[in-house]
Amino acid sequence: MKNKLYFLIIVFLLLIGLVSCNQSNELKEVQILFKPSFLFSTKFTVDVKEGLIKQYTYQDKYSNREWVDSVSYKVNVKDTLIIHYKRSFHVDSIVLNKFLNELKASRLDSTARHRASILDGIHYKFSKVYASKDTISLTSNLIRRNEKSQLEYKLLDAFFELAYKSINDYEGISGLENIQDYFYYGLPIRKVGDNPFEYRVWGTISGCREDNEDFIKFLNSLPLDKPVIFDLRNGSIAYCLSEVLEEFSKKRLLFFYGDKDAIKSKRIIEEIEIAEKNGEVLSELRKQAYETHKEIYEYWKKNKKINSYLTKKELLRFIIDK
C-alpha cells in the first residue's frame, strides 16, 4: 500500500513537472523591431495569449543645433524618449494561428544575425519570447528577396499579412506601409475595396512607360466597365506616367484621389495668400515658393484627361452624380 502511494506521488510530481515545462516553453509573444533610415523606430508586439498586435513608434533621443556664430553650429544630442504612436489591435484567431504556423515553418530555432554592407536602409529584429523569458532572435538588415534572405522573407511575409488584416487605423496603416516600402514587394499597390474597386498606392511608382511593365500589366487587368479608384495619399505615380494613365483612362473608368503634391501645393498657396492678406511682407523666397506651387497645383487642376480629386468624398460625389 505504501509503495503504491509512493508511486502515485512520483507520477503526480512528474505530471506537474511536465505541465510546468510545457508552460515555460509556450510562446508568449513575437516582437518585431524596425529601425529604418529617415523614419522613427517602430516596434510591433504580437501577444499570443491576448490575441493582440501592439504598434509603438518612438524615438529615444533627439538633436538640436546650437549656433556658435553666423556660419557654424554644434549639434546637441539628448537621450529623451518621445512616443509618436501607440495603439493595440485585435487579431482574429484564424489570422493569428496562420501566422504562428508560418512562424513555426520558418524554422527560426536559434538566434542568428545576418548583415550586408549598406549605406541607408533598415535594420530589424524578429524575437520569439517564451513564457520562461527565453528569447530566440533574428537580427538582420537584408532587404532584397533572394537566396540569402529566405528566412527573413518567410517572417516578413507572415508579419505583413497579419498586420494588414489586424491594424484598422489610418495612421497605423500608413506607418506599416512606410516600413514595407524599404523591402522588395514589387508593385506598391494593394487592393482595399471591392464595391467600388479601390486600390491603395503605398509607395512610389517611378520611371516612365518603358520602366513599368508590371504597372502596365496591372492596368490591363482592370475591368473595362466598372469604376476603379486609386488612393494616392501615401504613395505616388510619377508624372512621367501621365500619358499612360491618360491612355488607360480612355478605355477604363479610372479615378484618383489624394495626390500628395497637389494637396501640399494647395495648402502652401492658401497659407501664403492668407499671410499676404493679413499684411505680411513676403520674402523673395516665399514669392518664389508661391509661384512654384501655383504652377504644380494648376497643372494638376487643368489635367482633365485624368479623373483626379483631392479627397475621396469629392470623387464619390462625382461618381454618384455621373
Side-chain angles (χ1 to χ4, degrees):
M1 184 70 180
K2 189 180 290 185
N3 290 337
K4 187 176 181 180
L5 181 61
Y6 286 151
F7 175 75
L8 290 173
I9 291 171
I10 291 170
V11 170
F12 178 70
L13 291 173
L14 285 172
L15 287 172
I16 291 176
L18 285 171
V19 170
S20 176
C21 183
N22 287 335
Q23 286 178 342
S24 65
N25 286 330
E26 282 184 358
L27 184 63
K28 180 183 177 184
E29 61 188 31
V30 180
Q31 299 174 358
I32 308 99
L33 174 63
F34 294 101
K35 291 190 171 184
S37 303
F38 315 116
L39 293 177
F40 297 122
S41 299
T42 299
K43 182 179 181 181
F44 296 88
T45 301
V46 180
D47 189 319
V48 176
K49 185 177 179 181
E50 297 296 328
L52 296 173
I53 179 170
K54 303 169 185 177
Q55 186 173 355
Y56 178 65
T57 301
Y58 67 95
Q59 64 184 99
D60 49 20
K61 61 183 66 174
Y62 76 93
S63 60
N64 66 328
R65 293 180 180 180
E66 183 182 339
W67 289 92
V68 178
D69 50 44
S70 59
V71 294
S72 60
Y73 62 87
K74 62 180 181 179
V75 177
N76 298 315
V77 178
K78 295 186 178 181
D79 294 330
T80 303
L81 178 64
I82 301 173
I83 299 171
H84 296 280
Y85 184 84
K86 185 178 183 181
R87 280 201 62 178
S88 297
F89 305 92
H90 171 73
V91 180
D92 181 82
S93 59
I94 296 174
V95 174
L96 179 60
N97 287 333
K98 185 180 180 185
F99 170 75
L100 294 175
N101 288 334
E102 290 175 351
L103 184 65
K104 187 175 181 181
S106 72
R107 302 189 67 82
L108 176 59
D109 299 323
S110 59
T111 294
R113 181 182 293 270
H114 299 163
R115 294 188 63 81
S117 179
I118 58 172
L119 293 176
D120 297 316
I122 187 168
H123 292 78
Y124 53 102
K125 183 176 182 179
F126 281 85
S127 299
K128 294 162 64 177
V129 182
Y130 293 89
S132 62
K133 296 185 180 179
D134 289 338
T135 301
I136 293 173
S137 300
L138 167 67
T139 304
S140 181
N141 68 347
L142 304 184
I143 56 174
R144 292 185 178 275
R145 189 187 287 266
N146 54 29
E147 191 71 25
K148 293 181 179 179
S149 62
Q150 285 189 42
L151 174 57
E152 277 83 350
Y153 272 91
K154 285 179 182 178
L155 298 170
L156 287 166
D157 291 347
F159 163 71
F160 282 121
E161 182 178 359
L162 176 140
Y164 279 120
K165 287 182 177 178
S166 306
I167 297 170
N168 56 14
D169 170 69
Y170 184 80
E171 187 178 348
I173 286 288
S174 296
L176 182 66
E177 291 170 339
N178 293 340
I179 289 169
Q180 189 180 17
D181 201 27
Y182 279 82
F183 298 97
Y184 280 65
Y185 274 90
L187 203 58
I189 296 178
R190 182 166 50 88
K191 192 175 185 182
V192 294
D194 288 300
N195 189 27
F197 288 117
E198 183 172 348
Y199 292 88
R200 184 166 166 86
V201 180
W202 52 265
T204 301
I205 301 175
S206 57
C208 299
R209 181 189 292 268
E210 61 273 14
D211 309 307
N212 283 279
E213 183 180 342
D214 289 343
F215 183 49
I216 291 171
K217 282 182 181 178
F218 167 75
L219 292 174
N220 270 315
S221 72
L222 298 176
L224 292 168
D225 57 346
K226 295 180 180 178
V228 179
I229 296 172
F230 288 88
D231 176 358
L232 301 176
R233 289 175 295 169
N234 200 36
S236 62
I237 301 173
Y239 282 125
C240 191
L241 288 166
S242 293
E243 60 168 317
V244 174
L245 298 180
E246 290 170 11
E247 176 189 316
F248 277 90
S249 293
K250 293 176 183 176
K251 311 177 215 175
R252 289 167 171 78
L253 301 171
L254 304 185
F255 299 88
F256 304 84
Y257 78 93
D259 185 300
K260 291 187 293 184
D261 290 334
I263 291 172
K264 179 182 177 182
S265 293
K266 184 174 184 289
R267 176 177 54 79
I268 291 173
I269 289 168
E270 290 173 347
E271 287 174 353
I272 294 175
E273 286 178 347
I274 290 171
E276 191 172 28
K277 187 178 179 181
N278 291 336
E280 183 179 325
V281 178
L282 301 180
S283 66
E284 283 302 315
L285 192 61
R286 292 199 79 186
K287 288 178 182 177
Q288 290 174 15
Y290 180 83
E291 293 302 323
T292 300
H293 286 286
K294 187 176 180 181
E295 186 177 336
I296 293 170
Y297 182 63
E298 290 299 323
Y299 173 82
W300 170 85
K301 195 175 179 181
K302 290 176 181 178
N303 189 0
K304 301 297 182 183
K305 296 176 182 178
I306 301 174
N307 294 311
S308 185
Y309 299 83
L310 291 182
T311 67
K312 187 176 181 179
K313 187 177 180 180
E314 293 172 356
L315 187 157
L316 292 176
R317 190 186 303 132
F318 173 82
I319 293 176
I320 292 169
D321 292 344
K322 194 175 181 182

